[in-house]
Structures are given as structure tokens and as C-alpha cells.
Amino acid sequence: MTYPGTLLKRQQLMARKELGQNFLSDPKAAEKIVNKAAISENDLVLEIGPGLGALTVHAALQAKRVVAVEKDTRLAGLLTGELDLAGIDNVELINNDILKQDLEAIAKDEKMVVIGNLPYNISSQVLFKLVENRHLVKRAILMFQKELAQRIAAPPGGRDYGRLSAVIQYCSTVKTVSDVPAHLFFPKPAVDSRVIEVTFSKETRFSGEKERFLFKVIKAAFSKRRKTLRNSLAGSELGIDTSQSRMALENAGIDPARRAETLGVEEYTELTEALWTMGMEGKDEQRADQDR
Ligand code: SAM
């Protein structure tokens, strides 16, 4: 693996901050991360943001095939060069924004192992996309800014627990794999990173419409996290008033004076059930219709 700074300089390229380009420059660390993904020779691997190939090379040596989705068209030549150098021919590079990429089209009828040192500015959106497409994912080994990784795994009750934590913990188990210090990247980012393993649950309480509604309820609850739940749910995109939100909370056995960060996933599902039973799941759409 060529040092990222050298590769970029050779092509007179600068790392693009807006694409979260902090390239892993330590081959040992890269190999260690990929090994944690326990890729087998039958696996299809999806890599998000391969950059200059730090993880790609190791993944390709272990997998049946790697599909790597990279937004920055400038890097294609450099990445292909690195793969050729390592004698690798089982990587398909797709130049696209991962947020626009159809994952079904990549997976077809296989389940994928997903890896990625995620661009920090879209990490949460990528994770939400993986949740939506989790039927296609065997497991995911992903690198985040350490602070975000802590938020994802945070238990209810503290400041770190938020919308992303509740959604992820509803449908998966999260395990910390390792920490990666900032000096192992080029250019060096301001903060350290953390690799986590996300294993999606085989069964979840809801699916389809009802699950989408749960995610909406969680979003609404955290939209004004300093307020009591009675007030944050009312006036949110759920389109309900305070007496309806109080009734739903009470029906779910939740004190309406509690705040979003104190509710565990079970309680969010109970609340969703209560709102659903009261026929509140379509309130915002009904209001939008009336406004038209
Ligand atoms: N995997 C490489 C590594 O570990 O050195 C690069 C990691 S770097 C933190 C993030 C990579 O994601 C960059 O190559 C960047 O260009 C790419 N990227 C940024 N936004 C993207 C998007 N929306 N879709 C796909 N790739 C993206």
C-alpha cells in the first residue's frame, strides 16, 4: 500500500474535506479492521467510500468479490492502480454517492458484509440507509468519529443517547471493535475514530409501515429533547396535540413528563403501539392533505 500523501501528491490531488477524506495510512491497522469483519471466500463485500484502497485490498484478498462505491471520480485511477499493484481483480468500483445507490442492485440475492471508514459528514445517513436495507446485510464493520460511535452505542438516560442510538438499538446489536488514533490517517483529522460491528437482529417487533412510524415517533420525541415528551410529541411532525400525546403516553405506561433520552427501545415501541391504536399514525399526512 502506497502512503496516501505520496499517492495524492503524485497526481497533484488534494484530499477533499467536504467528502470526509481522511485516508487510513497504516496498513496494519487497515488489515486488523478488515480481519474483524471475518470475511470468507464466499462473501460479497460492499465497501462504502474505498478512497485509495486501504481496506479494499485486504477485503478483496479474503472475499469472493468486493463492490466499492466511491463518490469522488478523481480517485478511480489511483484506486485501480493500487489494486493492480496488489494483483487484485475481484473488485468492482462504482462511481456513485452511496446515499443514492440502489443496494438491491448490488446484493441481488446475496447478503453482504458491509465495511467502510465512513465520511464523517454522512455517517448517520449511511447508518439509517443500512437500517432500511438491513435484509441485505449480514453484518457491518464501520468506522466512525469516536464521539458518534459512542452516541450510537449509548444506553438510555444520558446526553449521548439520541435518535440514532434508539433506532440502531431497536434493530441491532452494536459492539466496539477498536479505536483508531487520529495520527494513523492522512490528512490527520481533529478527532480519533472508533470501529464498531453492527449485527442486525433477525426479528424485530415491527416491519413495514409500522416500523417507519416507530422511526417517526423516535424522531419526533428527539426533535425537542429538552422538552417533556408530552410537549415534544405535540407540535412535531406527528401532527398531534398535547392531550393526544398525553393520552398515548399514559396508554403506553409512560409518564408524560419524562424526556426523550430516558426512554428505552421497548418504551418507544409501546408508545408507537399506543399511537397506532389511537389511529394517530397518519395524522401528519391528513393535516398536509387539508392544507393543500
Ligand atoms: N476507505 C478509505 C480509507 O480508509 O482510507 C477512505 C476513507 S475516507 C474517511 C471516506 C471516503 O468516502 C472517501 O474516499 C470519500 O471520497 C468517500 N465518500 C465521501 N462521500 C461519499 C458518498 N456520498 N458516497 C460514496 N463515497 C463517499
Short mmCIF file of all heavy atoms in Angstrom, two decimals, residues 170-238:
data_model
loop_
_atom_site.label_atom_id
_atom_site.label_comp_id
_atom_site.label_asym_id
_atom_site.label_seq_id
_atom_site.Cartn_x
_atom_site.Cartn_y
_atom_site.Cartn_z
N TYR A 170 -32.87 -0.62 18.40
CA TYR A 170 -34.13 -1.32 18.13
C TYR A 170 -33.90 -2.55 17.24
O TYR A 170 -34.52 -3.58 17.43
CB TYR A 170 -35.11 -0.35 17.47
CG TYR A 170 -36.18 -1.00 16.63
CD1 TYR A 170 -37.26 -1.66 17.23
CD2 TYR A 170 -36.11 -0.98 15.24
CE1 TYR A 170 -38.24 -2.27 16.46
CE2 TYR A 170 -37.08 -1.58 14.47
CZ TYR A 170 -38.13 -2.23 15.06
OH TYR A 170 -39.09 -2.84 14.30
N CYS A 171 -32.96 -2.40 16.28
CA CYS A 171 -32.87 -3.45 15.27
C CYS A 171 -31.51 -4.14 15.18
O CYS A 171 -31.29 -4.91 14.23
CB CYS A 171 -33.26 -2.89 13.90
SG CYS A 171 -32.19 -1.57 13.36
N SER A 172 -30.62 -3.85 16.11
CA SER A 172 -29.30 -4.49 16.00
C SER A 172 -28.58 -4.57 17.33
O SER A 172 -29.01 -4.01 18.33
CB SER A 172 -28.43 -3.70 15.02
OG SER A 172 -28.04 -2.48 15.60
N THR A 173 -27.46 -5.28 17.30
CA THR A 173 -26.55 -5.31 18.44
C THR A 173 -25.28 -4.60 17.98
O THR A 173 -24.79 -4.87 16.88
CB THR A 173 -26.18 -6.77 18.80
OG1 THR A 173 -27.40 -7.50 18.87
CG2 THR A 173 -25.46 -6.85 20.11
N VAL A 174 -24.79 -3.71 18.82
CA VAL A 174 -23.59 -2.95 18.46
C VAL A 174 -22.44 -3.34 19.38
O VAL A 174 -22.62 -3.42 20.59
CB VAL A 174 -23.86 -1.43 18.61
CG1 VAL A 174 -22.61 -0.62 18.32
CG2 VAL A 174 -25.00 -0.99 17.71
N LYS A 175 -21.28 -3.61 18.76
CA LYS A 175 -20.11 -4.00 19.56
C LYS A 175 -18.92 -3.12 19.16
O LYS A 175 -18.70 -2.90 17.96
CB LYS A 175 -19.78 -5.46 19.22
CG LYS A 175 -19.28 -6.27 20.38
CD LYS A 175 -19.20 -7.74 20.04
CE LYS A 175 -18.00 -8.06 19.17
NZ LYS A 175 -17.99 -9.43 18.67
N THR A 176 -18.18 -2.62 20.14
CA THR A 176 -16.98 -1.84 19.81
C THR A 176 -15.88 -2.81 19.39
O THR A 176 -15.62 -3.80 20.06
CB THR A 176 -16.50 -1.03 21.03
OG1 THR A 176 -17.53 -0.11 21.36
CG2 THR A 176 -15.22 -0.25 20.72
N VAL A 177 -15.26 -2.52 18.24
CA VAL A 177 -14.19 -3.39 17.74
C VAL A 177 -12.83 -2.85 18.16
O VAL A 177 -12.03 -3.55 18.76
CB VAL A 177 -14.28 -3.52 16.20
CG1 VAL A 177 -13.07 -4.23 15.64
CG2 VAL A 177 -15.56 -4.23 15.79
N SER A 178 -12.56 -1.58 17.84
CA SER A 178 -11.28 -0.99 18.23
C SER A 178 -11.31 0.52 18.02
O SER A 178 -12.15 1.04 17.29
CB SER A 178 -10.13 -1.59 17.42
OG SER A 178 -10.35 -1.36 16.05
N ASP A 179 -10.36 1.18 18.67
CA ASP A 179 -10.20 2.62 18.46
C ASP A 179 -9.01 2.85 17.54
O ASP A 179 -8.03 2.09 17.58
CB ASP A 179 -9.96 3.32 19.80
CG ASP A 179 -11.25 3.39 20.62
OD1 ASP A 179 -12.34 3.23 20.02
OD2 ASP A 179 -11.17 3.61 21.83
N VAL A 180 -9.11 3.86 16.71
CA VAL A 180 -8.03 4.17 15.77
C VAL A 180 -7.62 5.62 15.98
O VAL A 180 -8.42 6.53 15.75
CB VAL A 180 -8.48 3.94 14.30
CG1 VAL A 180 -7.29 4.07 13.36
CG2 VAL A 180 -9.15 2.58 14.13
N PRO A 181 -6.39 5.84 16.45
CA PRO A 181 -5.98 7.21 16.76
C PRO A 181 -5.83 8.07 15.50
O PRO A 181 -5.52 7.55 14.41
CB PRO A 181 -4.63 7.04 17.47
CG PRO A 181 -4.17 5.67 17.14
CD PRO A 181 -5.36 4.84 16.77
N ALA A 182 -6.05 9.36 15.68
CA ALA A 182 -6.06 10.31 14.55
C ALA A 182 -4.76 10.31 13.75
O ALA A 182 -4.78 10.52 12.53
CB ALA A 182 -6.35 11.71 15.08
N HIS A 183 -3.62 10.01 14.39
CA HIS A 183 -2.35 10.10 13.65
C HIS A 183 -2.17 8.98 12.63
O HIS A 183 -1.23 9.01 11.84
CB HIS A 183 -1.16 10.18 14.63
CG HIS A 183 -0.86 8.88 15.32
ND1 HIS A 183 -1.33 8.59 16.57
CD2 HIS A 183 -0.15 7.80 14.91
CE1 HIS A 183 -0.91 7.37 16.91
NE2 HIS A 183 -0.20 6.87 15.93
N LEU A 184 -3.09 8.02 12.60
CA LEU A 184 -2.98 6.95 11.59
C LEU A 184 -3.71 7.30 10.29
O LEU A 184 -3.90 6.44 9.43
CB LEU A 184 -3.50 5.62 12.15
CG LEU A 184 -2.72 5.05 13.33
CD1 LEU A 184 -3.25 3.67 13.71
CD2 LEU A 184 -1.23 4.93 13.00
N PHE A 185 -4.14 8.57 10.17
CA PHE A 185 -4.83 9.00 8.95
C PHE A 185 -4.07 10.13 8.26
O PHE A 185 -3.35 10.89 8.91
CB PHE A 185 -6.23 9.52 9.28
CG PHE A 185 -7.15 8.50 9.89
CD1 PHE A 185 -7.17 8.29 11.25
CD2 PHE A 185 -7.97 7.73 9.09
CE1 PHE A 185 -8.00 7.34 11.82
CE2 PHE A 185 -8.82 6.78 9.64
CZ PHE A 185 -8.83 6.58 11.01
N PHE A 186 -4.25 10.22 6.95
CA PHE A 186 -3.74 11.37 6.20
C PHE A 186 -4.87 11.98 5.38
O PHE A 186 -5.51 11.26 4.63
CB PHE A 186 -2.59 10.96 5.26
CG PHE A 186 -2.14 12.14 4.45
CD1 PHE A 186 -1.18 13.01 4.93
CD2 PHE A 186 -2.73 12.41 3.21
CE1 PHE A 186 -0.79 14.12 4.19
CE2 PHE A 186 -2.35 13.52 2.47
CZ PHE A 186 -1.38 14.37 2.96
N PRO A 187 -5.12 13.27 5.45
CA PRO A 187 -4.58 14.17 6.47
C PRO A 187 -5.12 13.81 7.85
O PRO A 187 -6.18 13.16 7.95
CB PRO A 187 -5.10 15.53 6.01
CG PRO A 187 -6.19 15.28 5.06
CD PRO A 187 -6.06 13.90 4.54
N LYS A 188 -4.39 14.24 8.88
CA LYS A 188 -4.77 13.86 10.25
C LYS A 188 -6.04 14.60 10.66
O LYS A 188 -6.08 15.83 10.61
CB LYS A 188 -3.61 14.24 11.18
CG LYS A 188 -3.82 13.82 12.60
CD LYS A 188 -2.61 14.22 13.44
CE LYS A 188 -3.02 14.14 14.90
NZ LYS A 188 -2.32 15.07 15.74
N PRO A 189 -7.08 13.86 11.04
CA PRO A 189 -8.32 14.54 11.47
C PRO A 189 -8.17 15.11 12.88
O PRO A 189 -7.20 14.79 13.58
CB PRO A 189 -9.36 13.41 11.46
CG PRO A 189 -8.56 12.16 11.62
CD PRO A 189 -7.19 12.39 11.09
N ALA A 190 -9.14 15.89 13.30
CA ALA A 190 -9.06 16.53 14.62
C ALA A 190 -9.36 15.53 15.74
O ALA A 190 -8.97 15.75 16.88
CB ALA A 190 -10.04 17.69 14.67
N VAL A 191 -10.07 14.45 15.40
CA VAL A 191 -10.51 13.53 16.46
C VAL A 191 -10.16 12.09 16.12
O VAL A 191 -9.90 11.75 14.97
CB VAL A 191 -12.05 13.64 16.67
CG1 VAL A 191 -12.43 15.00 17.21
CG2 VAL A 191 -12.79 13.35 15.37
N ASP A 192 -10.18 11.23 17.15
CA ASP A 192 -9.93 9.81 16.96
C ASP A 192 -11.16 9.13 16.36
O ASP A 192 -12.25 9.70 16.36
CB ASP A 192 -9.60 9.14 18.30
CG ASP A 192 -8.27 9.62 18.86
OD1 ASP A 192 -7.45 10.15 18.09
OD2 ASP A 192 -8.06 9.48 20.09
N SER A 193 -10.97 7.92 15.89
CA SER A 193 -12.07 7.16 15.31
C SER A 193 -12.31 5.88 16.09
O SER A 193 -11.45 5.45 16.86
CB SER A 193 -11.75 6.79 13.85
OG SER A 193 -11.67 7.95 13.08
N ARG A 194 -13.46 5.31 15.86
CA ARG A 194 -13.78 4.03 16.50
C ARG A 194 -14.46 3.11 15.48
O ARG A 194 -15.33 3.55 14.72
CB ARG A 194 -14.71 4.27 17.71
CG ARG A 194 -15.22 2.99 18.33
CD ARG A 194 -15.85 3.20 19.67
NE ARG A 194 -14.85 3.50 20.69
CZ ARG A 194 -15.13 3.74 21.98
NH1 ARG A 194 -16.38 3.74 22.38
NH2 ARG A 194 -14.17 3.99 22.84
N VAL A 195 -14.06 1.85 15.51
CA VAL A 195 -14.69 0.87 14.63
C VAL A 195 -15.73 0.10 15.44
O VAL A 195 -15.44 -0.33 16.56
CB VAL A 195 -13.64 -0.14 14.09
CG1 VAL A 195 -14.29 -1.13 13.13
CG2 VAL A 195 -12.50 0.60 13.41
N ILE A 196 -16.92 -0.03 14.88
CA ILE A 196 -17.95 -0.82 15.56
C ILE A 196 -18.48 -1.91 14.63
O ILE A 196 -18.42 -1.78 13.40
CB ILE A 196 -19.12 0.05 16.09
CG1 ILE A 196 -19.85 0.76 14.95
CG2 ILE A 196 -18.65 1.04 17.14
CD1 ILE A 196 -21.12 1.46 15.42
N GLU A 197 -18.99 -2.94 15.26
CA GLU A 197 -19.63 -4.01 14.48
C GLU A 197 -21.13 -3.93 14.75
O GLU A 197 -21.56 -3.92 15.91
CB GLU A 197 -19.09 -5.38 14.91
CG GLU A 197 -19.80 -6.50 14.18
CD GLU A 197 -19.22 -7.88 14.49
OE1 GLU A 197 -18.17 -7.97 15.13
OE2 GLU A 197 -19.87 -8.86 14.08
N VAL A 198 -21.90 -3.86 13.67
CA VAL A 198 -23.36 -3.82 13.81
C VAL A 198 -23.91 -5.14 13.26
O VAL A 198 -23.69 -5.47 12.10
CB VAL A 198 -23.94 -2.63 13.01
CG1 VAL A 198 -25.46 -2.59 13.14
CG2 VAL A 198 -23.33 -1.31 13.45
N THR A 199 -24.60 -5.87 14.13
CA THR A 199 -25.24 -7.11 13.68
C THR A 199 -26.75 -6.91 13.77
O THR A 199 -27.28 -6.71 14.87
CB THR A 199 -24.80 -8.30 14.57
OG1 THR A 199 -23.37 -8.28 14.65
CG2 THR A 199 -25.26 -9.62 13.98
N PHE A 200 -27.40 -6.93 12.64
CA PHE A 200 -28.84 -6.67 12.64
C PHE A 200 -29.60 -7.88 13.17
O PHE A 200 -29.24 -9.03 12.89
CB PHE A 200 -29.32 -6.31 11.23
CG PHE A 200 -28.82 -4.96 10.80
CD1 PHE A 200 -27.88 -4.82 9.79
CD2 PHE A 200 -29.27 -3.81 11.44
CE1 PHE A 200 -27.40 -3.58 9.42
CE2 PHE A 200 -28.80 -2.55 11.08
CZ PHE A 200 -27.87 -2.44 10.07
N SER A 201 -30.66 -7.60 13.94
CA SER A 201 -31.46 -8.67 14.53
C SER A 201 -32.27 -9.37 13.44
O SER A 201 -32.71 -8.73 12.49
CB SER A 201 -32.45 -8.08 15.54
OG SER A 201 -31.83 -7.07 16.30
N LYS A 202 -32.45 -10.68 13.64
CA LYS A 202 -33.23 -11.44 12.65
C LYS A 202 -34.70 -11.04 12.72
O LYS A 202 -35.40 -10.94 11.73
CB LYS A 202 -33.09 -12.94 12.92
CG LYS A 202 -31.72 -13.45 12.52
CD LYS A 202 -31.73 -14.96 12.29
CE LYS A 202 -30.41 -15.44 11.77
NZ LYS A 202 -29.32 -15.35 12.76
N GLU A 203 -35.16 -10.79 13.95
CA GLU A 203 -36.58 -10.43 14.15
C GLU A 203 -36.64 -9.08 14.84
O GLU A 203 -35.88 -8.83 15.77
CB GLU A 203 -37.24 -11.45 15.08
CG GLU A 203 -37.16 -12.88 14.60
CD GLU A 203 -38.45 -13.34 13.98
OE1 GLU A 203 -39.50 -12.89 14.45
OE2 GLU A 203 -38.40 -14.14 13.03
N THR A 204 -37.56 -8.23 14.40
CA THR A 204 -37.83 -7.00 15.14
C THR A 204 -39.33 -6.95 15.40
O THR A 204 -40.10 -7.64 14.72
CB THR A 204 -37.39 -5.74 14.35
OG1 THR A 204 -37.83 -5.86 13.01
CG2 THR A 204 -35.90 -5.54 14.41
N ARG A 205 -39.73 -6.12 16.34
CA ARG A 205 -41.14 -6.12 16.73
C ARG A 205 -42.04 -5.66 15.58
O ARG A 205 -43.13 -6.17 15.38
CB ARG A 205 -41.31 -5.20 17.95
CG ARG A 205 -42.74 -5.11 18.41
CD ARG A 205 -42.84 -4.76 19.86
NE ARG A 205 -44.18 -4.39 20.22
CZ ARG A 205 -44.53 -3.87 21.37
NH1 ARG A 205 -43.60 -3.63 22.28
NH2 ARG A 205 -45.77 -3.56 21.64
N PHE A 206 -41.57 -4.67 14.83
CA PHE A 206 -42.39 -4.13 13.74
C PHE A 206 -41.70 -4.34 12.40
O PHE A 206 -40.50 -4.57 12.33
CB PHE A 206 -42.61 -2.62 13.92
CG PHE A 206 -43.27 -2.24 15.22
CD1 PHE A 206 -42.82 -1.12 15.92
CD2 PHE A 206 -44.34 -2.95 15.74
CE1 PHE A 206 -43.42 -0.73 17.12
CE2 PHE A 206 -44.94 -2.58 16.93
CZ PHE A 206 -44.48 -1.47 17.62
N SER A 207 -42.49 -4.16 11.34
CA SER A 207 -41.91 -4.10 10.00
C SER A 207 -42.76 -3.13 9.17
O SER A 207 -43.78 -2.63 9.65
CB SER A 207 -41.90 -5.50 9.36
OG SER A 207 -43.23 -5.95 9.28
N GLY A 208 -42.34 -2.87 7.97
CA GLY A 208 -43.12 -2.05 7.03
C GLY A 208 -43.56 -0.71 7.59
O GLY A 208 -42.80 -0.01 8.24
N GLU A 209 -44.85 -0.40 7.35
CA GLU A 209 -45.45 0.89 7.75
C GLU A 209 -45.27 1.18 9.24
O GLU A 209 -44.97 2.30 9.64
CB GLU A 209 -46.95 0.85 7.46
CG GLU A 209 -47.32 1.29 6.07
CD GLU A 209 -46.83 2.70 5.79
OE1 GLU A 209 -47.25 3.63 6.50
OE2 GLU A 209 -46.00 2.87 4.88
N LYS A 210 -45.48 0.14 10.03
CA LYS A 210 -45.46 0.35 11.48
C LYS A 210 -44.04 0.67 11.95
O LYS A 210 -43.83 1.49 12.85
CB LYS A 210 -46.00 -0.90 12.19
CG LYS A 210 -46.66 -0.57 13.51
CD LYS A 210 -47.55 -1.70 13.93
CE LYS A 210 -48.21 -1.46 15.25
NZ LYS A 210 -49.02 -2.59 15.67
N GLU A 211 -43.07 0.02 11.32
CA GLU A 211 -41.68 0.32 11.69
C GLU A 211 -41.32 1.74 11.27
O GLU A 211 -40.66 2.48 12.01
CB GLU A 211 -40.74 -0.68 11.03
CG GLU A 211 -39.28 -0.41 11.41
CD GLU A 211 -38.35 -1.46 10.88
OE1 GLU A 211 -38.34 -2.58 11.43
OE2 GLU A 211 -37.63 -1.18 9.91
N ARG A 212 -41.77 2.13 10.09
CA ARG A 212 -41.50 3.51 9.63
C ARG A 212 -42.13 4.50 10.60
O ARG A 212 -41.59 5.55 10.90
CB ARG A 212 -42.01 3.72 8.20
CG ARG A 212 -41.00 3.25 7.17
CD ARG A 212 -41.38 3.71 5.76
NE ARG A 212 -42.50 2.95 5.23
CZ ARG A 212 -42.41 1.71 4.73
NH1 ARG A 212 -41.24 1.11 4.67
NH2 ARG A 212 -43.46 1.08 4.27
N PHE A 213 -43.30 4.13 11.11
CA PHE A 213 -43.97 5.01 12.07
C PHE A 213 -43.17 5.08 13.39
O PHE A 213 -43.01 6.15 13.97
CB PHE A 213 -45.41 4.52 12.33
CG PHE A 213 -46.18 5.43 13.23
CD1 PHE A 213 -46.30 6.79 12.96
CD2 PHE A 213 -46.78 4.94 14.39
CE1 PHE A 213 -47.01 7.64 13.81
CE2 PHE A 213 -47.49 5.78 15.24
CZ PHE A 213 -47.60 7.13 14.95
N LEU A 214 -42.63 3.93 13.84
CA LEU A 214 -41.77 3.94 15.04
C LEU A 214 -40.62 4.93 14.86
O LEU A 214 -40.33 5.74 15.75
CB LEU A 214 -41.22 2.53 15.28
CG LEU A 214 -40.02 2.44 16.24
CD1 LEU A 214 -40.45 2.69 17.69
CD2 LEU A 214 -39.33 1.07 16.15
N PHE A 215 -39.97 4.89 13.69
CA PHE A 215 -38.83 5.78 13.45
C PHE A 215 -39.27 7.25 13.47
O PHE A 215 -38.53 8.13 13.90
CB PHE A 215 -38.13 5.43 12.13
CG PHE A 215 -37.47 4.06 12.13
CD1 PHE A 215 -37.12 3.43 10.94
CD2 PHE A 215 -37.19 3.40 13.32
CE1 PHE A 215 -36.51 2.17 10.93
CE2 PHE A 215 -36.58 2.14 13.33
CZ PHE A 215 -36.25 1.52 12.13
N LYS A 216 -40.49 7.48 13.02
CA LYS A 216 -41.05 8.84 13.02
C LYS A 216 -41.32 9.30 14.46
O LYS A 216 -41.09 10.46 14.82
CB LYS A 216 -42.37 8.81 12.24
CG LYS A 216 -42.56 9.99 11.34
CD LYS A 216 -43.43 9.58 10.22
CE LYS A 216 -44.59 10.45 9.97
NZ LYS A 216 -45.40 10.04 8.84
N VAL A 217 -41.82 8.38 15.27
CA VAL A 217 -42.10 8.70 16.67
C VAL A 217 -40.79 9.03 17.40
O VAL A 217 -40.70 10.01 18.14
CB VAL A 217 -42.83 7.50 17.37
CG1 VAL A 217 -42.93 7.72 18.86
CG2 VAL A 217 -44.21 7.30 16.75
N ILE A 218 -39.76 8.22 17.14
CA ILE A 218 -38.45 8.48 17.78
C ILE A 218 -37.91 9.84 17.34
O ILE A 218 -37.44 10.64 18.15
CB ILE A 218 -37.44 7.34 17.44
CG1 ILE A 218 -37.91 6.02 18.05
CG2 ILE A 218 -36.05 7.70 17.92
CD1 ILE A 218 -37.09 4.79 17.65
N LYS A 219 -38.03 10.12 16.06
CA LYS A 219 -37.55 11.41 15.53
C LYS A 219 -38.30 12.57 16.19
O LYS A 219 -37.71 13.56 16.62
CB LYS A 219 -37.77 11.44 14.01
CG LYS A 219 -37.15 12.63 13.33
CD LYS A 219 -37.35 12.54 11.83
CE LYS A 219 -36.89 13.82 11.15
NZ LYS A 219 -37.41 13.94 9.80
N ALA A 220 -39.63 12.39 16.30
CA ALA A 220 -40.45 13.45 16.90
C ALA A 220 -40.07 13.66 18.36
O ALA A 220 -39.94 14.80 18.83
CB ALA A 220 -41.93 13.08 16.79
N ALA A 221 -39.85 12.55 19.08
CA ALA A 221 -39.51 12.66 20.50
C ALA A 221 -38.22 13.44 20.70
O ALA A 221 -38.11 14.27 21.60
CB ALA A 221 -39.39 11.27 21.11
N PHE A 222 -37.23 13.19 19.83
CA PHE A 222 -35.93 13.84 19.99
C PHE A 222 -35.86 15.20 19.30
O PHE A 222 -34.83 15.86 19.39
CB PHE A 222 -34.80 12.93 19.48
CG PHE A 222 -34.44 11.83 20.44
CD1 PHE A 222 -34.91 10.54 20.26
CD2 PHE A 222 -33.66 12.11 21.56
CE1 PHE A 222 -34.59 9.53 21.17
CE2 PHE A 222 -33.35 11.11 22.47
CZ PHE A 222 -33.82 9.82 22.27
N SER A 223 -36.94 15.60 18.63
CA SER A 223 -36.88 16.87 17.90
C SER A 223 -36.75 18.04 18.87
O SER A 223 -36.16 19.06 18.53
CB SER A 223 -38.11 17.03 17.00
OG SER A 223 -39.26 17.07 17.82
N LYS A 224 -37.28 17.88 20.07
CA LYS A 224 -37.08 18.92 21.09
C LYS A 224 -36.73 18.20 22.38
O LYS A 224 -37.57 18.04 23.26
CB LYS A 224 -38.36 19.74 21.26
CG LYS A 224 -38.78 20.46 20.00
CD LYS A 224 -39.94 21.40 20.26
CE LYS A 224 -40.56 21.85 18.94
NZ LYS A 224 -41.64 20.95 18.48
N ARG A 225 -35.49 17.74 22.46
CA ARG A 225 -35.15 16.82 23.53
C ARG A 225 -35.15 17.42 24.92
O ARG A 225 -35.18 16.72 25.92
CB ARG A 225 -33.85 16.06 23.24
CG ARG A 225 -32.63 16.90 23.05
CD ARG A 225 -31.44 16.03 22.69
NE ARG A 225 -31.03 15.18 23.78
CZ ARG A 225 -30.42 14.00 23.64
NH1 ARG A 225 -30.17 13.54 22.44
NH2 ARG A 225 -30.04 13.31 24.69
N ARG A 226 -35.12 18.75 25.01
CA ARG A 226 -35.17 19.38 26.34
C ARG A 226 -36.59 19.44 26.90
O ARG A 226 -36.80 19.65 28.08
CB ARG A 226 -34.62 20.81 26.26
CG ARG A 226 -33.13 20.85 26.24
CD ARG A 226 -32.66 22.26 25.90
NE ARG A 226 -31.35 22.21 25.27
CZ ARG A 226 -30.22 22.07 25.93
NH1 ARG A 226 -30.21 21.96 27.24
NH2 ARG A 226 -29.06 22.02 25.30
N LYS A 227 -37.56 19.30 26.02
CA LYS A 227 -38.96 19.38 26.46
C LYS A 227 -39.44 18.04 27.01
O LYS A 227 -38.84 17.00 26.75
CB LYS A 227 -39.85 19.78 25.29
CG LYS A 227 -39.60 21.20 24.81
CD LYS A 227 -40.76 21.68 23.99
CE LYS A 227 -40.62 23.17 23.69
NZ LYS A 227 -41.77 23.69 23.00
N THR A 228 -40.56 18.08 27.72
CA THR A 228 -41.17 16.82 28.16
C THR A 228 -41.72 16.14 26.91
O THR A 228 -42.02 16.80 25.91
CB THR A 228 -42.34 17.08 29.12
OG1 THR A 228 -43.34 17.81 28.41
CG2 THR A 228 -41.89 17.87 30.35
N LEU A 229 -41.90 14.83 27.01
CA LEU A 229 -42.41 14.09 25.84
C LEU A 229 -43.80 14.58 25.43
O LEU A 229 -44.10 14.65 24.24
CB LEU A 229 -42.45 12.60 26.15
CG LEU A 229 -41.10 11.90 26.02
CD1 LEU A 229 -41.15 10.55 26.69
CD2 LEU A 229 -40.71 11.76 24.55
N ARG A 230 -44.62 14.92 26.42
CA ARG A 230 -45.96 15.42 26.10
C ARG A 230 -45.85 16.60 25.12
O ARG A 230 -46.56 16.67 24.13
CB ARG A 230 -46.67 15.86 27.37
CG ARG A 230 -48.09 16.38 27.15
CD ARG A 230 -48.73 16.88 28.42
NE ARG A 230 -47.85 17.78 29.14
CZ ARG A 230 -47.62 17.71 30.46
NH1 ARG A 230 -48.18 16.78 31.19
NH2 ARG A 230 -46.79 18.56 31.04
N ASN A 231 -44.89 17.49 25.39
CA ASN A 231 -44.76 18.68 24.55
C ASN A 231 -43.95 18.43 23.27
O ASN A 231 -44.23 19.05 22.25
CB ASN A 231 -44.14 19.82 25.35
CG ASN A 231 -45.13 20.35 26.37
OD1 ASN A 231 -46.35 20.31 26.14
ND2 ASN A 231 -44.64 20.79 27.51
N SER A 232 -42.96 17.57 23.35
CA SER A 232 -42.16 17.38 22.13
C SER A 232 -42.95 16.60 21.07
O SER A 232 -42.81 16.86 19.87
CB SER A 232 -40.81 16.71 22.43
OG SER A 232 -41.01 15.45 23.00
N LEU A 233 -43.79 15.67 21.50
CA LEU A 233 -44.58 14.91 20.51
C LEU A 233 -45.67 15.79 19.90
O LEU A 233 -45.94 15.72 18.70
CB LEU A 233 -45.22 13.68 21.16
CG LEU A 233 -44.26 12.61 21.67
CD1 LEU A 233 -45.04 11.48 22.33
CD2 LEU A 233 -43.41 12.04 20.53
N ALA A 234 -46.28 16.62 20.76
CA ALA A 234 -47.28 17.57 20.22
C ALA A 234 -46.49 18.66 19.49
O ALA A 234 -45.42 19.03 19.92
CB ALA A 234 -48.08 18.16 21.37
N GLY A 235 -47.01 19.09 18.39
CA GLY A 235 -46.30 20.14 17.65
C GLY A 235 -45.14 19.58 16.84
O GLY A 235 -44.36 20.32 16.27
N SER A 236 -45.01 18.25 16.81
CA SER A 236 -43.97 17.64 15.97
C SER A 236 -44.61 17.26 14.65
O SER A 236 -45.81 17.52 14.43
CB SER A 236 -43.43 16.37 16.64
OG SER A 236 -44.44 15.38 16.58
N GLU A 237 -43.85 16.58 13.81
CA GLU A 237 -44.44 16.18 12.52
C GLU A 237 -45.48 15.05 12.67
O GLU A 237 -46.10 14.64 11.69
CB GLU A 237 -43.34 15.79 11.52
CG GLU A 237 -42.52 14.60 11.92
CD GLU A 237 -41.55 14.18 10.81
OE1 GLU A 237 -41.00 15.08 10.12
OE2 GLU A 237 -41.37 12.98 10.65
N LEU A 238 -45.70 14.59 13.89
CA LEU A 238 -46.77 13.60 14.08
C LEU A 238 -48.15 14.24 13.93
O LEU A 238 -49.15 13.55 13.73
CB LEU A 238 -46.67 12.95 15.47
CG LEU A 238 -45.43 12.09 15.74
CD1 LEU A 238 -45.45 11.57 17.17
CD2 LEU A 238 -45.36 10.93 14.77
#
